[in-house]
Amino acid sequence: SRASFASSAERRGFAGRELGYSDWLTVDQGQFAACTSDHQWIHTDPARAARESPWKTTIAHGYLTLSLYPMLRGLVDADKPLFPGVTRVINYGLDKLRFPNAVKSGSRVRARCVLHKLEEVTGGLQLTEQYTVEIEGEPKPACVAEAIMRAYF
């Protein structure tokens, strides 16, 4: 669910809250290799991965899990704006990015987002939130990043 941010007091009080989880998504890393030209065998060669990889299967690119952020976070759905009145959301950058676990081919992942900071900027808000990509059935996440975005009104 989306929160309403009618006043600056409400916005300040929202920092630190969990924003929720995305739906589960099955990861097929094959398309990403074609986009990035990263065809390292650990991503693309199931037979070799079965023999030589510690995971015994191919794994998704770490940057694929990062690139899923806008979709899993729901930032690209025009029918569900981030906040009422927002006209655009811009990815501003990242602080702290780690890939603590591999996403095995065919695994399901979901995003968990927690708002760390909400600051006013000219014409909008700057949000810093922790983006964690959880892997179904795994104790360690695939990706943990502090994502910074700006929402303009």
Side-chain angles (χ1 to χ4, degrees):
S1 68
R2 306 252 185 237
S4 171
F5 290 91
S7 73
S8 60
E10 286 176 314
R11 289 191 293 268
R12 282 191 303 275
F14 203 73
R17 288 193 193 174
E18 186 169 291
L19 299 175
Y21 294 86
S22 72
D23 292 333
W24 289 102
L25 174 73
T26 301
V27 175
D28 174 11
Q29 80 280 350
Q31 298 106 353
F32 193 70
C35 293
T36 63
S37 295
D38 179 355
H39 296 280
Q40 183 183 175
W41 65 267
I42 201 152
H43 303 303
T44 61
D45 188 336
R48 185 173 177 188
R51 288 189 316 270
E52 298 178 34
S53 163
W55 301 282
K56 302 301 180 200
T57 186
T58 55
I59 60 171
H61 299 70
Y63 286 106
L64 171 62
T65 61
L66 178 61
S67 74
L68 294 173
Y69 175 68
M71 188 269 300
L72 290 176
R73 177 66 173 85
L75 296 174
V76 294
D77 188 344
D79 294 331
K80 297 177 186 172
L82 185 62
F83 306 115
V86 167
T87 59
R88 67 192 181 285
V89 177
I90 307 297
N91 291 317
Y92 193 68
L94 296 168
D95 286 340
K96 297 182 185 175
L97 169 62
R98 300 290 183 266
F99 301 111
N101 198 359
V103 178
K104 298 173 191 170
S105 181
S107 294
R108 290 184 355 136
V109 298
R110 71 176 179 184
R112 177 178 180 250
C113 296
V114 175
L115 186 63
H116 281 298
K117 220 185 310 183
L118 189 59
E119 304 165 278
E120 292 186 39
V121 294
T122 302
L125 298 171
Q126 179 169 296
L127 299 88
T128 303
E129 62 184 38
Q130 183 170 311
Y131 166 62
T132 304
V133 178
E134 298 178 341
I135 308 167
E136 188 174 45
E138 293 281 336
K140 291 190 332 187
C143 177
V144 180
E146 289 181 12
I148 304 166
M149 64 188 129
R150 289 191 171 180
Y152 293 96
F153 299 86

